[in-house]
Amino acid sequence: MQGAHEYWTMNDLGTSLCRIADRNSACPTRGVPSVHLRNHHLPDMDVTFPLTRPHAVLLVLLLLAAAAVATATASKQQCHSGDRAALLAVKAAFGNASYFVSWTADIPCCHWFGVRCDATSSSAAAATGGRRVVSLAVMRDAGVSGPVPGAAIARLAGLQELLFLHVPGVSGAIPPALARLSALTDLTISRTGVSGPVPASLGKLRALRSLDLSFNALTGAIPASLAALPRLASINLGRNRLTGAIPPLLLSKAGPEAFLTLSHNNLSGTVPAEFAAVSFVQVDLSRNALTGDGGSALFGRGKALLVAVNLSRNALSFDMSRLEFPERLASLDVSHNAIRGGVPAAAGNLSQLMFFNVSYNQLCGELPSGMASFEVYSFRHNKCLCGAPLPACQA
């Protein structure tokens, strides 16, 4: 049977393609081709299928379509060559740690672990040299060690999100080169061994919306340059060793919702009066050395979105009875301060309130009836508070 038909090779495919593309071309002529399949499991068994010209044309078209899809898919998956080189420099800076095991030539760089590229179409990506890397995440790996390779990361011109999280081996200072990431909207370097100051150069990141440098060993003052960022709405610098005063205009441009965590530092001075104009959702200034009036700037009108406030373990002193709590308030901790006055009657009517702690202060008077559902420890060690859940007030 094998001698009855010619076998169709890639030359035959080329001939058919030639005829399809240009009927006037001088294309080589062959007889009726066939497809010859060899069974690799049974090498003595060959199967030959006759292939007429219409079938040949169809096969050519199918092969061309498959090749086009494969090319488009590869182009769509491939990141910009400059970004790829920058990522490989990051990998090298961390000593080719096992975290980067997928960062190899046979895997498209947009599929590398911890890397995300933009959604540019294949045609647009091809025109611009490839898809741009928009997110780089290095997380939860004790095997990654060394300083943050700022110069390499700064070469990722389209980077919008940079995340170093739970990588205790990452150490050294936050590199000033990160300030060159003009498209960066989210910067997280948290739970690492990073030390030194918070770079004032971060104030150049005009697109930044969220900054999280918590759980590190950062020292020095909070740079006032952060207050100039027009889109910054969330700051977390908690669990560091920061000192000095809180910049008065911090988050002054945050817009309708602001989030601030500066807890577990050594900050001093007062809660800025300018905070009265900030629409906070959550504020945590606990475990610092703040003094003065911390209430009037954080409560009252204009704070309708406020959900959680923690001012505990400072040296704040203000009259709590004058505070106006928002209806959405769900958590309030002002324990371990020098707060005077009494608990406002309106506090007992807060339907969303889940946590309330005013212990270790100088409060006095009868608790609102709605406070009876809270534990006794929430009110202990005050001057003369009474009423449920504490003992009844004396006549």
Side-chain angles (χ1 to χ4, degrees):
M1 292 296 294
Q2 293 183 17
H5 300 282
E6 292 186 72
Y7 300 113
W8 206 40
T9 66
M10 290 305 295
N11 289 332
D12 297 303
L13 288 176
T15 299
S16 296
L17 180 60
C18 176
R19 289 171 176 166
I20 294 170
D22 187 352
R23 294 183 181 274
N24 296 321
S25 298
C27 299
T29 303
R30 297 294 301 269
V32 178
S34 61
V35 175
H36 179 209
L37 302 178
R38 178 173 293 277
N39 191 317
H40 294 284
H41 297 290
L42 298 173
D44 294 331
M45 181 180 294
D46 294 343
V47 181
T48 303
F49 297 98
L51 191 62
T52 62
R53 178 173 177 176
H55 293 151
V57 172
L58 178 60
L59 181 58
V60 170
L61 294 176
L62 289 174
L63 290 174
L64 289 175
V69 170
T71 301
T73 301
S75 175
K76 188 174 181 180
Q77 292 175 346
Q78 192 60 271
C79 64
H80 190 277
S81 59
D83 288 358
R84 185 177 186 275
L87 290 172
L88 291 176
V90 171
K91 176 182 177 181
F94 286 126
N96 299 314
S98 61
Y99 183 89
F100 308 100
V101 67
S102 69
W103 293 24
T104 59
D106 58 334
I107 298 177
C109 45
C110 288
H111 286 180
W112 288 354
F113 185 69
V115 175
R116 181 169 58 85
C117 295
D118 60 22
T120 303
S121 64
S122 57
S123 58
T128 59
R131 297 169 64 192
R132 302 313 299 250
V133 172
V134 296
S135 177
L136 173 59
V138 181
M139 301 184 297
R140 304 181 186 279
D141 195 321
V144 177
S145 62
V148 176
I153 294 173
R155 289 158 55 189
L156 299 170
L159 196 67
Q160 299 173 16
E161 179 184 44
L162 177 60
L163 177 67
F164 285 92
L165 179 63
H166 282 281
V167 276
V170 173
S171 58
I174 298 174
L178 297 183
R180 300 205 299 267
L181 297 168
S182 60
L184 198 67
T185 60
D186 297 271
L187 174 59
T188 296
I189 304 176
S190 178
R191 298 179 184 271
T192 73
V194 165
S195 58
V198 177
S201 58
L202 295 183
K204 298 178 181 178
L205 298 173
R206 307 292 291 176
L208 198 65
R209 295 194 301 255
S210 174
L211 176 65
D212 185 350
L213 303 178
S214 61
F215 289 88
N216 292 300
L218 299 174
T219 56
I222 300 172
S225 60
L226 296 180
L229 294 176
R231 295 179 177 85
L232 188 60
S234 178
I235 298 176
N236 188 347
L237 303 178
R239 301 273 183 171
N240 281 288
R241 304 169 188 171
L242 301 175
T243 56
I246 301 173
L249 296 179
L250 201 63
L251 292 178
S252 59
K253 300 180 180 182
E257 295 185 348
F259 302 81
L260 179 63
T261 299
L262 302 177
S263 62
H264 294 78
N265 280 288
N266 298 309
L267 299 173
S268 56
T270 61
V271 176
E274 289 80 359
F275 278 7
V278 180
S279 181
F280 284 110
V281 175
Q282 177 264 328
V283 183
D284 188 351
L285 306 180
S286 63
R287 293 181 181 268
N288 282 288
L290 300 174
T291 58
D293 181 3
S296 59
L298 296 177
F299 297 98
R301 294 182 179 180
K303 304 294 183 180
L305 299 180
L306 191 62
V307 172
V309 177
N310 191 343
L311 303 177
S312 65
R313 296 183 184 274
N314 281 285
L316 298 171
S317 177
F318 55 86
D319 186 349
M320 187 173 185
S321 60
R322 299 173 61 184
L323 298 184
E324 182 180 343
F325 295 138
E327 293 182 0
R328 293 182 56 182
L329 190 66
S331 177
L332 177 66
D333 190 347
V334 293
S335 62
H336 294 268
N337 280 287
I339 300 171
R340 62 189 182 276
V343 177
N349 300 322
L350 298 174
S351 60
Q352 305 297 318
L353 195 61
M354 303 292 293
F355 183 85
F356 190 81
N357 192 345
V358 295
S359 62
Y360 290 89
N361 279 289
Q362 300 173 13
L363 298 173
C364 199
E366 184 174 7
L367 293 174
S369 58
M371 298 284 101
S373 60
F374 291 98
E375 298 291 337
V376 172
Y377 74 82
S378 298
F379 307 99
R380 281 178 173 168
H381 299 281
N382 273 285
K383 188 174 181 181
C384 53
L385 283 178
C386 59
L390 296 174
C393 298
Q394 299 297 319

